[in-house]
PDB file of all heavy atoms in Angstrom:
ATOM      1  N   VAL A  77      -5.282 -10.731  22.557  1.00  0.00           N
ATOM      2  CA  VAL A  77      -3.962 -11.204  22.137  1.00  0.00           C
ATOM      3  C   VAL A  77      -3.904 -12.765  22.559  1.00  0.00           C
ATOM      4  O   VAL A  77      -3.310 -13.503  21.806  1.00  0.00           O
ATOM      5  CB  VAL A  77      -2.802 -10.431  22.862  1.00  0.00           C
ATOM      6  CG1 VAL A  77      -1.468 -11.058  22.760  1.00  0.00           C
ATOM      7  CG2 VAL A  77      -2.767  -9.007  22.311  1.00  0.00           C
ATOM      8  N   ALA A  78      -4.412 -13.199  23.663  1.00  0.00           N
ATOM      9  CA  ALA A  78      -4.507 -14.548  24.058  1.00  0.00           C
ATOM     10  C   ALA A  78      -5.217 -15.341  23.053  1.00  0.00           C
ATOM     11  O   ALA A  78      -4.847 -16.446  22.671  1.00  0.00           O
ATOM     12  CB  ALA A  78      -5.036 -14.734  25.372  1.00  0.00           C
ATOM     13  N   ALA A  79      -6.315 -14.822  22.570  1.00  0.00           N
ATOM     14  CA  ALA A  79      -7.174 -15.424  21.472  1.00  0.00           C
ATOM     15  C   ALA A  79      -6.479 -15.554  20.225  1.00  0.00           C
ATOM     16  O   ALA A  79      -6.509 -16.602  19.522  1.00  0.00           O
ATOM     17  CB  ALA A  79      -8.513 -14.613  21.253  1.00  0.00           C
ATOM     18  N   LEU A  80      -5.592 -14.565  19.814  1.00  0.00           N
ATOM     19  CA  LEU A  80      -4.804 -14.586  18.668  1.00  0.00           C
ATOM     20  C   LEU A  80      -3.766 -15.683  18.773  1.00  0.00           C
ATOM     21  O   LEU A  80      -3.576 -16.465  17.848  1.00  0.00           O
ATOM     22  CB  LEU A  80      -4.142 -13.262  18.389  1.00  0.00           C
ATOM     23  CG  LEU A  80      -5.094 -12.179  17.780  1.00  0.00           C
ATOM     24  CD1 LEU A  80      -4.468 -10.749  17.962  1.00  0.00           C
ATOM     25  CD2 LEU A  80      -5.659 -12.406  16.502  1.00  0.00           C
ATOM     26  N   ARG A  81      -3.082 -15.715  19.955  1.00  0.00           N
ATOM     27  CA  ARG A  81      -2.109 -16.715  20.145  1.00  0.00           C
ATOM     28  C   ARG A  81      -2.686 -18.128  20.145  1.00  0.00           C
ATOM     29  O   ARG A  81      -2.125 -19.128  19.464  1.00  0.00           O
ATOM     30  CB  ARG A  81      -1.421 -16.579  21.512  1.00  0.00           C
ATOM     31  CG  ARG A  81      -0.459 -15.328  21.487  1.00  0.00           C
ATOM     32  CD  ARG A  81       0.092 -15.165  22.915  1.00  0.00           C
ATOM     33  NE  ARG A  81       0.967 -14.000  22.996  1.00  0.00           N
ATOM     34  CZ  ARG A  81       1.054 -13.213  24.029  1.00  0.00           C
ATOM     35  NH1 ARG A  81       0.399 -13.429  25.088  1.00  0.00           N
ATOM     36  NH2 ARG A  81       1.848 -12.244  23.960  1.00  0.00           N
ATOM     37  N   ALA A  82      -3.899 -18.306  20.681  1.00  0.00           N
ATOM     38  CA  ALA A  82      -4.579 -19.635  20.627  1.00  0.00           C
ATOM     39  C   ALA A  82      -4.985 -19.947  19.149  1.00  0.00           C
ATOM     40  O   ALA A  82      -5.041 -21.223  18.918  1.00  0.00           O
ATOM     41  CB  ALA A  82      -5.789 -19.517  21.552  1.00  0.00           C
ATOM     42  N   ALA A  83      -5.158 -19.067  18.329  1.00  0.00           N
ATOM     43  CA  ALA A  83      -5.484 -19.274  16.967  1.00  0.00           C
ATOM     44  C   ALA A  83      -4.147 -19.567  16.151  1.00  0.00           C
ATOM     45  O   ALA A  83      -4.216 -19.823  14.846  1.00  0.00           O
ATOM     46  CB  ALA A  83      -6.155 -18.035  16.351  1.00  0.00           C
ATOM     47  N   GLY A  84      -2.958 -19.542  16.728  1.00  0.00           N
ATOM     48  CA  GLY A  84      -1.680 -19.941  16.115  1.00  0.00           C
ATOM     49  C   GLY A  84      -1.046 -18.713  15.529  1.00  0.00           C
ATOM     50  O   GLY A  84      -0.085 -18.858  14.730  1.00  0.00           O
ATOM     51  N   ILE A  85      -1.221 -17.529  15.992  1.00  0.00           N
ATOM     52  CA  ILE A  85      -0.560 -16.300  15.519  1.00  0.00           C
ATOM     53  C   ILE A  85       0.666 -16.136  16.434  1.00  0.00           C
ATOM     54  O   ILE A  85       0.574 -16.047  17.679  1.00  0.00           O
ATOM     55  CB  ILE A  85      -1.477 -15.116  15.534  1.00  0.00           C
ATOM     56  CG1 ILE A  85      -2.738 -15.231  14.723  1.00  0.00           C
ATOM     57  CG2 ILE A  85      -0.686 -13.858  15.127  1.00  0.00           C
ATOM     58  CD1 ILE A  85      -2.547 -15.412  13.326  1.00  0.00           C
ATOM     59  N   ASP A  86       1.759 -16.026  15.850  1.00  0.00           N
ATOM     60  CA  ASP A  86       3.124 -15.704  16.531  1.00  0.00           C
ATOM     61  C   ASP A  86       3.118 -14.355  17.136  1.00  0.00           C
ATOM     62  O   ASP A  86       2.524 -13.360  16.479  1.00  0.00           O
ATOM     63  CB  ASP A  86       4.303 -15.974  15.642  1.00  0.00           C
ATOM     64  CG  ASP A  86       4.515 -17.358  15.312  1.00  0.00           C
ATOM     65  OD1 ASP A  86       4.097 -18.246  16.038  1.00  0.00           O
ATOM     66  OD2 ASP A  86       5.071 -17.544  14.201  1.00  0.00           O
ATOM     67  N   ASP A  87       3.758 -14.125  18.179  1.00  0.00           N
ATOM     68  CA  ASP A  87       3.903 -12.850  18.830  1.00  0.00           C
ATOM     69  C   ASP A  87       4.452 -11.757  17.831  1.00  0.00           C
ATOM     70  O   ASP A  87       4.096 -10.559  17.891  1.00  0.00           O
ATOM     71  CB  ASP A  87       4.748 -12.831  20.039  1.00  0.00           C
ATOM     72  CG  ASP A  87       4.038 -13.369  21.272  1.00  0.00           C
ATOM     73  OD1 ASP A  87       2.747 -13.483  21.180  1.00  0.00           O
ATOM     74  OD2 ASP A  87       4.672 -13.860  22.189  1.00  0.00           O
ATOM     75  N   LYS A  88       5.419 -12.192  16.997  1.00  0.00           N
ATOM     76  CA  LYS A  88       6.040 -11.238  16.004  1.00  0.00           C
ATOM     77  C   LYS A  88       4.958 -10.706  14.964  1.00  0.00           C
ATOM     78  O   LYS A  88       5.297  -9.712  14.337  1.00  0.00           O
ATOM     79  CB  LYS A  88       7.143 -11.979  15.288  1.00  0.00           C
ATOM     80  CG  LYS A  88       6.760 -13.143  14.359  1.00  0.00           C
ATOM     81  CD  LYS A  88       7.952 -13.723  13.684  1.00  0.00           C
ATOM     82  CE  LYS A  88       7.428 -14.947  12.907  1.00  0.00           C
ATOM     83  NZ  LYS A  88       7.661 -15.103  11.569  1.00  0.00           N
ATOM     84  N   ASP A  89       3.870 -11.402  14.876  1.00  0.00           N
ATOM     85  CA  ASP A  89       2.816 -11.050  13.889  1.00  0.00           C
ATOM     86  C   ASP A  89       1.658 -10.250  14.519  1.00  0.00           C
ATOM     87  O   ASP A  89       0.695 -10.061  13.951  1.00  0.00           O
ATOM     88  CB  ASP A  89       2.304 -12.222  13.108  1.00  0.00           C
ATOM     89  CG  ASP A  89       3.398 -12.939  12.256  1.00  0.00           C
ATOM     90  OD1 ASP A  89       4.076 -12.133  11.608  1.00  0.00           O
ATOM     91  OD2 ASP A  89       3.340 -14.073  12.098  1.00  0.00           O
ATOM     92  N   ILE A  90       1.889  -9.841  15.734  1.00  0.00           N
ATOM     93  CA  ILE A  90       0.875  -9.040  16.495  1.00  0.00           C
ATOM     94  C   ILE A  90       1.526  -7.777  16.893  1.00  0.00           C
ATOM     95  O   ILE A  90       2.533  -7.735  17.611  1.00  0.00           O
ATOM     96  CB  ILE A  90       0.308  -9.709  17.805  1.00  0.00           C
ATOM     97  CG1 ILE A  90      -0.242 -11.103  17.391  1.00  0.00           C
ATOM     98  CG2 ILE A  90      -0.722  -8.930  18.497  1.00  0.00           C
ATOM     99  CD1 ILE A  90      -0.564 -12.013  18.599  1.00  0.00           C
ATOM    100  N   GLN A  91       1.043  -6.660  16.415  1.00  0.00           N
ATOM    101  CA  GLN A  91       1.686  -5.369  16.724  1.00  0.00           C
ATOM    102  C   GLN A  91       0.681  -4.283  17.115  1.00  0.00           C
ATOM    103  O   GLN A  91      -0.342  -4.067  16.350  1.00  0.00           O
ATOM    104  CB  GLN A  91       2.515  -4.957  15.590  1.00  0.00           C
ATOM    105  CG  GLN A  91       3.105  -3.548  15.686  1.00  0.00           C
ATOM    106  CD  GLN A  91       3.936  -3.207  14.413  1.00  0.00           C
ATOM    107  OE1 GLN A  91       3.775  -3.769  13.291  1.00  0.00           O
ATOM    108  NE2 GLN A  91       4.699  -2.158  14.495  1.00  0.00           N
ATOM    109  N   THR A  92       0.865  -3.588  18.253  1.00  0.00           N
ATOM    110  CA  THR A  92       0.063  -2.477  18.643  1.00  0.00           C
ATOM    111  C   THR A  92       0.286  -1.379  17.688  1.00  0.00           C
ATOM    112  O   THR A  92       1.458  -0.960  17.413  1.00  0.00           O
ATOM    113  CB  THR A  92       0.361  -2.087  20.033  1.00  0.00           C
ATOM    114  OG1 THR A  92       0.028  -3.192  20.917  1.00  0.00           O
ATOM    115  CG2 THR A  92      -0.587  -0.854  20.436  1.00  0.00           C
ATOM    116  N   THR A  93      -0.834  -0.822  17.111  1.00  0.00           N
ATOM    117  CA  THR A  93      -0.584   0.310  16.159  1.00  0.00           C
ATOM    118  C   THR A  93      -1.206   1.617  16.653  1.00  0.00           C
ATOM    119  O   THR A  93      -0.882   2.690  16.079  1.00  0.00           O
ATOM    120  CB  THR A  93      -1.434  -0.040  14.805  1.00  0.00           C
ATOM    121  OG1 THR A  93      -2.709  -0.340  15.032  1.00  0.00           O
ATOM    122  CG2 THR A  93      -0.752  -1.266  14.098  1.00  0.00           C
ATOM    123  N   ARG A  94      -2.067   1.498  17.630  1.00  0.00           N
ATOM    124  CA  ARG A  94      -2.612   2.662  18.202  1.00  0.00           C
ATOM    125  C   ARG A  94      -3.155   2.481  19.667  1.00  0.00           C
ATOM    126  O   ARG A  94      -3.811   1.460  19.907  1.00  0.00           O
ATOM    127  CB  ARG A  94      -3.872   3.183  17.377  1.00  0.00           C
ATOM    128  CG  ARG A  94      -4.416   4.507  17.793  1.00  0.00           C
ATOM    129  CD  ARG A  94      -5.394   4.987  16.885  1.00  0.00           C
ATOM    130  NE  ARG A  94      -5.837   6.299  17.261  1.00  0.00           N
ATOM    131  CZ  ARG A  94      -6.731   7.013  16.668  1.00  0.00           C
ATOM    132  NH1 ARG A  94      -7.309   6.523  15.589  1.00  0.00           N
ATOM    133  NH2 ARG A  94      -7.038   8.129  17.113  1.00  0.00           N
ATOM    134  N   LEU A  95      -2.801   3.352  20.560  1.00  0.00           N
ATOM    135  CA  LEU A  95      -3.222   3.274  21.885  1.00  0.00           C
ATOM    136  C   LEU A  95      -3.604   4.602  22.326  1.00  0.00           C
ATOM    137  O   LEU A  95      -2.786   5.595  22.271  1.00  0.00           O
ATOM    138  CB  LEU A  95      -1.971   2.700  22.752  1.00  0.00           C
ATOM    139  CG  LEU A  95      -2.234   2.454  24.273  1.00  0.00           C
ATOM    140  CD1 LEU A  95      -3.336   1.397  24.383  1.00  0.00           C
ATOM    141  CD2 LEU A  95      -0.966   2.057  24.897  1.00  0.00           C
ATOM    142  N   THR A  96      -4.890   4.792  22.786  1.00  0.00           N
ATOM    143  CA  THR A  96      -5.383   6.141  23.181  1.00  0.00           C
ATOM    144  C   THR A  96      -6.102   6.131  24.473  1.00  0.00           C
ATOM    145  O   THR A  96      -6.677   5.091  24.802  1.00  0.00           O
ATOM    146  CB  THR A  96      -6.275   6.724  22.121  1.00  0.00           C
ATOM    147  OG1 THR A  96      -7.461   5.893  21.929  1.00  0.00           O
ATOM    148  CG2 THR A  96      -5.598   6.919  20.742  1.00  0.00           C
ATOM    149  N   LEU A  97      -6.039   7.195  25.146  1.00  0.00           N
ATOM    150  CA  LEU A  97      -6.834   7.418  26.494  1.00  0.00           C
ATOM    151  C   LEU A  97      -7.272   8.856  26.353  1.00  0.00           C
ATOM    152  O   LEU A  97      -6.449   9.755  26.252  1.00  0.00           O
ATOM    153  CB  LEU A  97      -5.980   7.151  27.564  1.00  0.00           C
ATOM    154  CG  LEU A  97      -6.593   7.376  28.981  1.00  0.00           C
ATOM    155  CD1 LEU A  97      -7.801   6.383  29.196  1.00  0.00           C
ATOM    156  CD2 LEU A  97      -5.619   7.287  30.115  1.00  0.00           C
ATOM    157  N   GLN A  98      -8.599   9.062  26.271  1.00  0.00           N
ATOM    158  CA  GLN A  98      -9.158  10.441  26.146  1.00  0.00           C
ATOM    159  C   GLN A  98     -10.373  10.632  27.067  1.00  0.00           C
ATOM    160  O   GLN A  98     -11.090   9.651  27.326  1.00  0.00           O
ATOM    161  CB  GLN A  98      -9.446  10.765  24.732  1.00  0.00           C
ATOM    162  CG  GLN A  98     -10.482   9.804  24.145  1.00  0.00           C
ATOM    163  CD  GLN A  98     -10.498   9.826  22.538  1.00  0.00           C
ATOM    164  OE1 GLN A  98      -9.587  10.054  21.993  1.00  0.00           O
ATOM    165  NE2 GLN A  98     -11.753   9.723  22.090  1.00  0.00           N
ATOM    166  N   PRO A  99     -10.670  11.834  27.510  1.00  0.00           N
ATOM    167  CA  PRO A  99     -11.755  12.123  28.306  1.00  0.00           C
ATOM    168  C   PRO A  99     -13.023  12.077  27.474  1.00  0.00           C
ATOM    169  O   PRO A  99     -13.087  12.346  26.220  1.00  0.00           O
ATOM    170  CB  PRO A  99     -11.500  13.523  28.826  1.00  0.00           C
ATOM    171  CG  PRO A  99     -10.528  14.102  27.855  1.00  0.00           C
ATOM    172  CD  PRO A  99      -9.737  12.984  27.278  1.00  0.00           C
TER     173      PRO A  99
END
Side-chain angles (χ1 to χ4, degrees):
V77 169
L80 290 166
R81 288 178 181 145
I85 304 294
D86 290 334
D87 285 340
K88 67 180 172 127
D89 290 328
I90 304 168
Q91 179 181 10
T92 298
T93 57
R94 186 173 184 183
L95 184 62
T96 61
L97 178 64
Q98 59 193 34

